Amino acid sequence: MKEYIEAAIAGVCKELFGVDVRVDLTRPDEQFGDFATNAALQLAKQVNKNPREVAEQIADHLKAQLGDKVAEVTIAGPGFINIKLSDSALVELAETKPDKKYDGKQVVSEYSDPSAFKVLHAGHLYTSVVGDAISNLLENAGGKVHRVNFGGDVGRHVAITMYAILRDLGGEHPEKLAEIPDDQHADWMSARYVEGNTAFEDDDQVKAEVTELNKRLYHLFTDNDHDSPFAQIYWTCRKWSYDYFDAFYARIGSHFEKYYPESETAPIGLATVKEQLAKGVYQESDGAVIFDGEKYGLHTRVFINSQGLPTYEAKDVGLIMKKWDDYHFDFSLILTDNAQGDYMTVVLKSIEQFAPELANATKHLTHGRVKLAGGVKMSSRKGNIVRAVDVLDIAEEVYKSTMGRDDEQAVLGAVKYAFLKQRLGADIIYDPKESVSLEGNSGPYVQYAHARARSILTKAETGDSKIENLGEGERSLLRKLSEYSDVIDKATNEFMPHHICTYLYELAQVFNRFYEKNRVIGDDRQAVRLQLVSRYADVLKNGLSLLGISAPDKM
RNA sequence: GCGCGUGUAGCUCAGCUGGAUAGAGCGUCGGCUUGCGGAGCCGAAGGUCGUAGGUUCGAAUCCUGUCACGCGUACCA
């Protein structure tokens, strides 16, 4: 429908003025119409005429050409042409489905990326929620989406934790791990990480020990050591970490197809970087292997350190190679904190030198940080952090105290929506109380709107009689519903789920206004109105599900 | 220093491939009220869109300078 009208306008412009115009139909304020174009304003300059005059000529021809598709074509402001569709055309427009931009494509979506041995903090919750939503969008657009997770199970942070663990156990005594209660595994390890960091920061002796431990960690893999006391401690704690991750993802409804632990990508990265070192992509410098990003206006980074160990850079190179081996992706998405922006640009630039098809099919998306209202910083090294579960628990408490009951789905919806409704990129301020507010633009509001609509639908059978002769409120609702596919396309193309939140909230508002004045059950218009309510409920449900939020029929 | 990002109402944010009176929510003030689920609806107050220029018929949106904050800038991730 949209394309049809755009083509019609372009045709009229060509016919009247002999000029090719790139017509861009926009959705104006409802008071102006369903579609608007500034074609006349563009043309006026080219043909040296008054914009309004040009607009009037176009409007006249357009109305004749579009016939029964339009109710009226009007001119407003400096020369905008506003088009109001006929009811039947609006009904047709509302049938539009989102684009299948990724139809049949193999897509790898990497996000969340927690590090083994470390605690999951509010940022992990945020990035998981956003990653889920974006992955849902890609899937909705026809992609075969593989959700994967990358995380450090080797490297300095693990060595630091192992240092403190060994100290706590009084040496390499794996049997002592049994003394730690099952439900305290994760907390115990994150406490060790904080301790280890403190010791590491102000003691050179500890630094040396940690460096040594780090080497031993890599040897566990190269030697396939599962039996030495040191190995037993490592593997036990590592499993505790992954169990802890699994439990968390289950709680928030995230599902990953695969974990890529760094221990798995490190050897691939190391081999690849060494191979490309020989071909001149990477260089040796001060005993380390680097990529000279400055040649490309970027900065230089170390891929293999002077100990011969792969850094995160090399592990990421290995990861991309591994993903390619596993999926032969058409598109690969990586979602991280924006602190990694420049870093990833360098890594991808280096890969571009020897595997351009992989680098070019990879998109690095970044988001801001979750900050606590009041400006408290979060650092897992210092331990003064808000854990991911704290965010959920606090939300649960607030919900319970305001509503007087528990509702797991509403709480999860509230937190996810609070994170998703903001545009990706900038930091987000998380206020444990306000962001979970149940009024206004919130998850529970939209969920409730859905439950309310479903409740109406249970009271009478919805038929399929023709939707026509729309009243004011009915038309506003259908008009808003007709925007849905555009919104999904935009969110998908821009990787910006917040567009969906904005839309669903606006839609619910339009419905509430309609509902305030129009009776559904028992009215002469019941048949038509029930269908509108049904479509409305379906759009809410579909939109929420793309956001990873449930849409219960009752709340 | 250089690079990237962000600065819109008291607070939290939409709007940013230039367009019509800059929009929401929260908060404040005032109405509706036993409703087909009021977690709602209607209204009011509240903004030099950080700042100074530039481009344009038209700038919150594009360009340049500048200020503020955040992040990054070789062996952490």
Side-chain angles (χ1 to χ4, degrees), chain A residues 155 158-164 166 172 206-220 230:
Chain A
V158 181
I160 284 172
T161 313
M162 283 297 283
Y163 167 82
L166 293 177
E172 299 184 14
V206 175
K207 278 188 180 140
E209 286 182 46
V210 165
T211 303
E212 205 46 44
L213 283 173
N214 197 16
K215 281 190 198 167
R216 288 182 69 188
L217 287 172
Y218 283 95
H219 278 294
L220 293 178
F230 182 69

Side-chain angles (χ1 to χ4, degrees), chain A residues 373-415:
Chain A
V376 182
K377 284 200 174 181
M378 294 188 286
S379 160
S380 59
R381 283 193 303 277
K382 297 280 166 52
N384 59 338
I385 56 163
V386 176
R387 297 175 306 163
V389 290
D390 293 335
V391 175
L392 297 173
D393 291 346
I394 291 168
E396 221 164 71
E397 269 173 45
V398 173
Y399 188 89
K400 197 169 181 177
S401 68
T402 40
M403 301 304 289
R405 61 189 166 82
D406 286 324
D407 186 334
E408 201 186 332
Q409 291 310 309
V411 169
L412 207 49
V415 174

Side-chain angles (χ1 to χ4, degrees), chain A residues 3-65:
Chain A
E3 291 73 18
Y4 177 80
I5 296 172
E6 281 174 348
I9 295 169
V12 168
C13 291
K14 180 86 177 165
E15 182 193 332
L16 286 175
F17 305 100
V19 179
D20 287 312
V21 181
R22 200 183 128 262
V23 178
D24 195 22
L25 272 188
T26 58
R27 295 286 197 141
D29 255 23
E30 187 172 5
Q31 56 171 318
F32 296 121
D34 300 316
F35 287 117
T37 177
N38 62 1
L41 292 163
Q42 289 180 49
L43 262 175
K45 216 185 315 175
Q46 295 183 53
V47 300
N48 204 17
K49 283 189 176 175
N50 179 317
R52 283 197 70 110
E53 206 174 293
V54 173
E56 273 166 42
Q57 286 186 55
I58 295 174
D60 285 346
H61 281 71
L62 198 59
K63 187 153 175 46
Q65 187 159 341

Side-chain angles (χ1 to χ4, degrees), chain A residues 109 137 162 224 246 254 312 426 437 465 487:
Chain A
S109 179
L137 287 173
M162 283 297 283
N224 195 23
D246 288 343
S254 294
Y312 188 49
S437 163
S465 61
V487 170

